[in-house]
Amino acid sequence: MSTIDVAGVAVDTRHYINGQRVASAETYVNTSPIDGTFLGDIARGGEAEIDLAVRAARAAFPAWSKLGPHKRGELLNKLADLVEANIETLANIETLDNGALLRSHLRGVMPRVAMNIRFFADFAMNELKHDVFETRGHTNNVSWDPSGVAALITPWNAPLMLATWKIGPALAAGDTVVLKPAEWTPLTASYFADLTKQAGIPDGVFNVVNGYGKEAGSALTAHPGIARISFTGSVPTAKIIAHAAADNLTPVSFELGGKSPCIVLADADLDLAAEIAVEQYDNAGQVCLSGTRILVHESIADAFAEKFREKAAALTQGDPRDPATDIGPQIHQVHFDRIKGFVDRAIAEGHNIVWGGEPNAELGGLYFTPTLVMNPAPGSEIVTSEIFGPVLVMQTFSTDDEVIAMANGTEFGLAAVVVSGDRDHAARITNELVAGTIWVNCFFVRDLRAPFGGSKKSGIGRDGGIWSFDFYADVKNTVISPNGWKE
Ligand code: ADP
């Protein structure tokens, strides 16, 4: 069967290559994390399908790149309109496929998907002007030229949001695209492909190849016909992709994991701090940006912990389609077992689990209870490794120097949160933190004009505004002399 019924909507399970649906001889099974329901058999692409898609994207590149930002912008804005008209459908499909909250998909995520397309289309039309510098009468004409085929590899925790964060700027820049969505969550990308067709995006400009990372993903990153690789995922996979990219010297943009600190200073508003701390359980902890290490000044640790406990106890775990649910399931049995492994080892090592620490016995399946590990030994696995589940650690500190060393003391540098009632104090801390994004007295506020990305092992490069175009485009400087002209 080439289409499946997902939440009452027909979703194609085949690839989308050159504007056509393409099947593979092999398929793999996709199930819902909500209750294990079989969703469908998904086309399992490999080298052949990737090659077909890259060739189609290369063939479509000359016309798309020459169309110019305004004509591309018209089509991309039409695509954004179609996303907006289909928010409910996309939200329902995504929730069944990845288990994240339906209400978040409806209110935040899917509107953001439309915005990802619209923002970069408008940026290319209105902001991406050629820069002109003068040097002794010579004109330096700086332009952002389309670069070719962008290979996009995306994860399962926010599938369409993170995919369109790449698709938007790549297409707006005049590149054509081959997307390899995460194998556990292929469905919204497929539905989105239908919307690109309806919007009139020419065949071959946007392609989707489904399949496993080791098959379709590695074939894509090793393909000599691509001009860019943009990847969001784990550090070990990034290292494999970096090796593949090295052979062709393909430029890469990586957004990887984190083990971000959430710092509560002694002068913090404790209600606000507890509010922010509990947000770190969002999406069942499957968020690369989460501040999973709560670092609290010792003088307020007990008072903060009490407020944090109250808020954590009020979280409702259950079916993500229920508007009352705050925490849904983990994505997949493999991932669930990985999270449980971290917690089981922490228990075996004698760490103090203050709440949670086990699968939700009532719900069964892939539901893991929100967990807090108190004062684990510095350097222990639970403190340094990214768990990507609803597992937070809380540690105390006594001085600014100490908390700065703790905050910066992992291999990651994606994000940080600082909660403080004193602007100067907050600034003294933020100045010293190594992180791509720091939130002060807030969490998860994102502006597409601002740079986003990771320091240290959390990534290479930045997305957002001009940073996205610096990556997807070929930046060119043409120096024109005042001399030698015949007129
Ligand atoms: P996670 O551990 O969160 O599943 P991964 O980094 O393994 O994260 O996966 C993120 C994306 O990378 C997925 O689309 C996956 O299929 C893809 N991927 C995994 N392995 C490879 C690989 N060797 N080459 C290219 N892509 C890969």
Side-chain angles (χ1 to χ4, degrees), residues 153-154 156 180-183 212-213 217-218 231-234 237 240-241:
I153 300 192
T154 49
W156 44 259
K180 208 298 282 174
E183 48 269 50
Y212 292 125
S218 68
F231 166 74
T232 300
S234 64
T237 302
I240 295 170
I241 294 177

Side-chain angles (χ1 to χ4, degrees), residues 110-161:
M110 293 307 162
R112 186 58 178 268
V113 164
M115 175 110 85
N116 284 342
I117 306 293
R118 208 183 293 291
F119 169 84
F120 288 105
D122 291 348
F123 194 99
M125 283 191 281
N126 304 320
E127 311 280 334
L128 203 60
K129 301 195 180 81
H130 287 201
D131 263 348
V132 177
F133 310 109
E134 217 213 85
T135 317
R136 297 186 302 277
H138 297 63
T139 306
N140 290 260
N141 207 333
V142 181
S143 57
W144 282 261
D145 292 358
S147 67
V149 178
L152 312 181
I153 300 192
T154 49
W156 44 259
N157 59 327
L160 196 57
M161 221 297 286

Side-chain angles (χ1 to χ4, degrees), residues 388-435:
F388 222 64
V391 181
L392 306 179
V393 299
M394 179 170 149
Q395 297 170 281
T396 54
F397 64 89
S398 56
T399 66
D400 285 357
D401 284 348
E402 194 187 353
V403 75
I404 288 162
M406 288 164 85
N408 289 337
T410 72
E411 61 175 355
F412 298 109
L414 190 58
V417 179
V418 177
V419 191
S420 170
D422 179 327
R423 285 180 195 276
D424 292 339
H425 194 187
R428 282 202 302 279
I429 303 292
T430 59
N431 285 345
E432 299 298 325
L433 295 179
V434 182

Side-chain angles (χ1 to χ4, degrees), residues 178-202:
V178 178
L179 169 70
K180 208 298 282 174
E183 48 269 50
W184 290 341
T185 53
L187 299 182
T188 45
S190 182
Y191 194 80
F192 179 81
D194 290 340
L195 299 183
T196 65
K197 185 91 169 174
Q198 277 180 51
I201 306 284

Side-chain angles (χ1 to χ4, degrees), residues 1-14 27-43 90-100 159 182-188 320-321 329 331-332 366:
M1 254 196 332
S2 56
T3 60
I4 53 174
D5 183 299
V6 187
V9 180
V11 179
D12 210 300
T13 54
R14 296 169 293 180
T27 57
Y28 70 90
V29 169
N30 184 27
T31 54
S32 174
I34 298 175
D35 52 10
T37 312
F38 170 76
L39 291 176
D41 292 313
I42 310 295
L90 288 165
N92 279 313
I93 297 172
E94 197 83 294
T95 291
L96 268 180
D97 206 11
N98 91 331
E183 48 269 50
W184 290 341
T185 53
L187 299 182
T188 45
R321 292 165 295 190
I331 181 71
H332 193 276
L366 300 180

Side-chain angles (χ1 to χ4, degrees), residues 191-229:
Y191 194 80
F192 179 81
D194 290 340
L195 299 183
T196 65
K197 185 91 169 174
Q198 277 180 51
I201 306 284
D203 292 350
V205 167
F206 176 72
N207 305 274
V208 182
V209 178
N210 291 309
Y212 292 125
K214 284 191 179 124
E215 297 172 3
S218 68
L220 179 57
T221 54
H223 201 291
I226 59 171
R228 295 287 185 275
I229 298 171

